[in-house]
Every structure is written in structure tokens, then in C-alpha cells.
Amino acid sequence: MTAADLVVVGSGFFGLTVAERAASELGLKVAVIDRRHHIGGNAYSETEEQTGIEVHRYGAHLFHTSNQKVWDYVNQFTTFTNYVHRVYGVHKGEVFPLPINLGTINQFFRANYSPAEARALISEQAGELAGTDPQNLNDKGIQLIGRPLYEAFIKHYTGKQWQTDPKDLPAGIISRLPVRYTYDNRYFNDTYEGLPTQGYTAWIERMADNPNITVELNTDFFDESQPLSKGNVVGNVPVIYTGPVDRYFDYAEGDLSWRTIDFEEEVLPTGDFQGTSVVNYNDPDVPFTRIIEPRHFHPERNYQTEKTVIMREFSRFAEKGDEPYYPINTEGDRAKLLAYRDLSNAEKDVLFGGRLGTYKYLDMHMAIGSALSMYENKIKPHFAKGEALVSGGVDA
């Protein structure tokens, strides 16, 4: 058995935020376990050996938030650069700024439209399906921004992301498609944006750097031969579980479906491959969705100029053994999630959190905000005031 007051399964931002608060504010002994060889979940970054460039090992991680509470919290552990994320997309051999903005529209239509003229044009093109109630993503996209822009910048990219024809995807995936009628091509609209000055791993390590926190890596919660296993701790010590919710219950209600990402990493004998951090490839004849060039996340760093590293990103359905990234959330998934919600509520002193534990798409700032709420509303009242710890956290 463990001497810990709280066991946290998973060392991503959700788990570490809960662990840090419980250890720092309440003085609890917190045991954090992770089956991977590193902390930080998918936000983990490391130095690429040949170039010395910091690589986001699980794809581009861009920190942005308008939540003051989250911003104040994360600034305890890191400062942020003034990086502003901008994305470009390749369509038929030409590069366009994204998200779709006045610059994209004027370049695409070879025009000089004013904001009002561009708005009128998109409204006219979207009128093709005006008054209808599209049930699939393809028709919804056309209704929102018109066929020309949709087919150039959304249709094939989305199809590659989901490995599914947009005609077979639900319309709800894109309840809105942002179009800006200005030349603003900032990708995010949040109040705060930047990258951790010394990198994600340095930030994450500071969160875990507390004498009350122990971190056990290469440790599987479901391996009953180790002391911090599910069988040993559930019912004896409160648990924060941030792994896949279906795995927790041994897939009793069926497998939830996820997308995963494969990366093809290459070191190239040039100082700069594409001139920016992320370029989307919108056309169907290119198998990858985008190319990330990590050197551009930190232009303030004095990286070498003889070589650069790039990562091509391929999206596909996750199979057993893959790293799950994004919940697909079909109708079938939602039905299973209802059943898992009931199972999670019936556990003893187990709270489910994070992207995997709640089967929700959460950006980093959302995961941190959600963890702070769980700490304030459930963990602190339990340990500080003796209130009952009501299990759950899975919504459907």
C-alpha cells in the first residue's frame, strides 16, 4: 500500500495541476504515476539531438487563454514569449493565410474586395444551401462559407483529419467556420498567447517540483504487480484518473473511438524549410495534413542555421496500443459514454479528468481550468472540511 493521501494517474496538465495544488496548498502527499517514460502527457517537449531545436514530441502545442485565473496560475511556473501563432495553407501550389480572412478571400478570388463586398460575396455563395438544415459536414460547410472556399480550404483537410468523407461526418463538427472580414490572420483570438520561455518540459517539471509530490514513470495503473495499481489504491486512497475512461472500466461498455496522429520527422540540411511554424496542406493529393517546423516556435533562440527539423503530421483512427489524441464522438460513442458516466459515478473516491478521462476535446488552458475547478470544488472541500468526495467527472 501507499503512504500517499492522493494518487494521480497521468502526468499531463490536468493531473499535475491537481497534484500541485493539493501538495502546495493542502500539504498532501501526492503520488503521480504515468505509464510513459516522461511527465507532461502530450505537452512533453525535448531537444532534437542533431539540431538542438526543441520539438513538441506530440505535435504543435500553442498556449493561449482568456481565462485570467488560468493565466495567473500558469505564470507561477513559467514566463511566456510573445509568440503569436499564424497558420498558412497550401492549395494548388499556392500559399494562403489562415483562418480564412480578407487576405485569403482577395487572394483566392484575385480581387480587392472591401469587407462589405467580401461579406456579400460569401453570403451569396453560401446561399446555395440557404434555408436548409444540413445534417452532414460537407453541406454545412457550404452553407456557412460557400462552396469555393469550403472546397479549397476545409473539405479535403477535414477529410484527411478524420479519414472520412465530409459527407459522412456530422454537421455538428463545424457548428461555425470563422471567416474574418479583416486582414487579421492571428490564429487565436485570446487575451493571452505565447510559448513557455524555457519550453514545455521545463514548465511541467516546475509544477511537479514539490517535496510532497512523488512521480513514478513507466508505471501502469493497470499492472497489478506494482503497488500503485488500480486494485491496490481504489477504495483505499482518493484517485484522480486522467487516462482513457473506457480503459479504466476494461472496455466494459465497448471501445470509445479516437483519432491518433503519426509523425514523420526529418532533419534537413537547410537553416529554414518553410519560413513559419505550421503550414497546412489542404489538397487531397498530399497524404499529410500539415508540416510543423519547430524552430519557428522560438525565433528568439539562437538555433543553428545549418540544419532544421520538420514533422509531417498524418491523422488516422486510433487502434489498440496507439496514443489517443482526439475523441471522435459519434452517436455510438455518446451512448457508450452515458454508460461509462454511470459507472464512474458508482466508483469509490475516483474523479475522472482531462481529455482522455472525460472524452472531451480540451485545449491546454481548458484542461488546467477544469483541474483548478475540480480542486476547488471537490478535492479541497474533502480534505480541508471533511466533505464527502463524490466520484465522477464524466459527462455525456
Side-chain angles (χ1 to χ4, degrees):
M1 258 316 295
T2 174
D5 302 308
L6 181 68
V7 172
V8 175
V9 182
S11 65
F13 273 119
F14 189 98
L16 283 181
T17 298
V18 171
E20 186 281 325
R21 287 289 78 200
S24 298
E25 199 172 82
L26 299 177
L28 299 181
K29 300 288 186 194
V30 184
V32 178
I33 67 170
D34 201 298
R35 62 177 179 77
R36 294 180 183 173
H37 72 279
H38 59 76
I39 63 171
N42 283 6
Y44 173 70
S45 66
E46 63 183 353
T47 301
E48 197 284 318
E49 286 183 5
Q50 294 184 56
T51 60
I53 294 168
E54 182 193 353
V55 169
H56 299 176
R57 189 45 68 204
Y58 301 91
H61 277 66
L62 297 316
F63 193 81
H64 55 98
T65 187
S66 295
N67 184 325
Q68 189 67 48
K69 184 177 177 182
V70 168
W71 183 246
D72 291 342
Y73 176 73
V74 301
N75 273 272
Q76 295 177 68
F77 309 102
T78 181
T79 55
F80 288 85
T81 68
N82 59 3
Y83 176 86
V84 173
H85 192 50
R86 300 182 198 277
V87 173
Y88 297 86
V90 177
H91 170 62
K92 292 187 176 177
E94 191 173 346
V95 177
F96 294 83
L98 296 172
I100 296 169
N101 60 71
L102 192 56
T104 322
I105 293 166
N106 277 330
Q107 184 180 345
F108 185 78
F109 292 107
R110 297 291 188 269
N112 182 21
Y113 294 124
S114 68
E117 289 167 338
R119 202 180 287 274
L121 174 73
I122 303 308
S123 178
E124 179 190 337
Q125 292 180 343
E128 177 184 340
L129 290 172
T132 64
D133 183 20
Q135 296 303 302
N136 69 69
L137 187 151
N138 190 78
D139 293 353
K140 184 69 173 178
I142 294 168
Q143 187 189 57
L144 286 168
I145 63 171
R147 188 180 294 272
L149 289 172
Y150 165 75
E151 292 191 343
F153 298 108
I154 309 296
K155 178 178 180 175
H156 303 299
Y157 189 84
T158 304
K160 287 192 287 188
Q161 273 190 314
W162 295 89
Q163 296 291 294
T164 303
D165 189 313
K167 288 193 173 93
D168 299 322
L169 289 168
I173 289 176
I174 49 163
S175 52
R176 56 184 290 273
L177 271 174
V179 176
R180 294 185 189 144
Y181 296 99
T182 68
Y183 288 98
D184 176 12
N185 70 332
R186 279 185 59 171
Y187 198 75
F188 303 115
N189 289 319
D190 285 296
T191 309
Y192 303 108
E193 179 178 359
L195 290 172
T197 308
Q198 294 176 295
Y200 279 100
T201 294
W203 168 9
I204 289 156
E205 286 173 343
R206 284 192 201 105
M207 292 180 73
D209 184 16
N210 185 302
N212 289 326
I213 296 175
T214 59
V215 179
E216 302 280 347
L217 300 175
N218 300 303
T219 302
D220 189 341
F221 185 56
F222 302 103
D223 173 7
E224 292 300 336
S225 71
Q226 59 89 13
L228 293 170
S229 67
K230 181 182 175 186
N232 283 334
V233 299
V234 172
N236 296 314
V237 183
V239 172
I240 310 299
Y241 176 79
T242 69
V245 60
D246 52 355
R247 174 70 185 93
Y248 180 93
F249 294 105
D250 202 22
Y251 310 101
E253 300 295 339
D255 292 35
L256 295 169
S257 52
W258 302 84
R259 280 195 302 119
T260 191
I261 297 174
D262 297 320
F263 298 98
E264 185 180 278
E265 188 173 315
E266 189 176 0
V267 174
L268 300 171
T270 179
D272 193 345
F273 172 73
Q274 63 186 18
T276 192
S277 51
V278 176
V279 175
N280 290 357
Y281 284 79
N282 299 85
D283 297 334
D285 57 343
V286 180
F288 46 87
T289 52
R290 60 183 184 170
I291 294 179
I292 299 166
E293 187 172 11
R295 73 176 311 117
H296 293 290
F297 289 137
H298 287 280
E300 77 284 357
R301 292 183 184 170
N302 192 25
Y303 286 140
Q304 62 143 300
T305 55
E306 290 77 41
K307 296 176 183 173
T308 193
V309 59
I310 63 168
M311 300 169 80
R312 297 180 188 87
E313 202 168 289
F314 300 79
S315 181
R316 62 178 172 83
F317 290 113
E319 299 172 6
K320 283 264 170 62
D322 287 328
E323 291 294 347
Y325 279 74
Y326 304 106
I328 293 178
N329 215 0
T330 63
E331 280 185 41
D333 288 323
R334 287 191 286 278
K336 292 172 191 172
L337 198 60
L338 281 167
Y340 283 125
R341 181 188 66 184
D342 293 341
L343 288 176
S344 71
N345 292 345
E347 286 293 281
K348 181 172 179 355
D349 294 346
V350 180
L351 296 174
F352 294 77
R355 184 184 291 194
L356 307 183
T358 60
Y359 198 66
K360 277 197 177 78
Y361 180 82
L362 299 174
D363 282 331
M364 288 179 285
H365 66 287
M366 295 162 71
I368 293 166
S370 173
L372 291 172
S373 294
M374 179 185 282
Y375 169 76
E376 291 290 344
N377 297 329
K378 296 212 166 188
I379 295 159
K380 190 174 178 181
H382 171 69
F383 284 103
K385 299 178 185 172
E387 292 183 16
L389 193 63
V390 179
S391 292
V394 179
D395 299 318

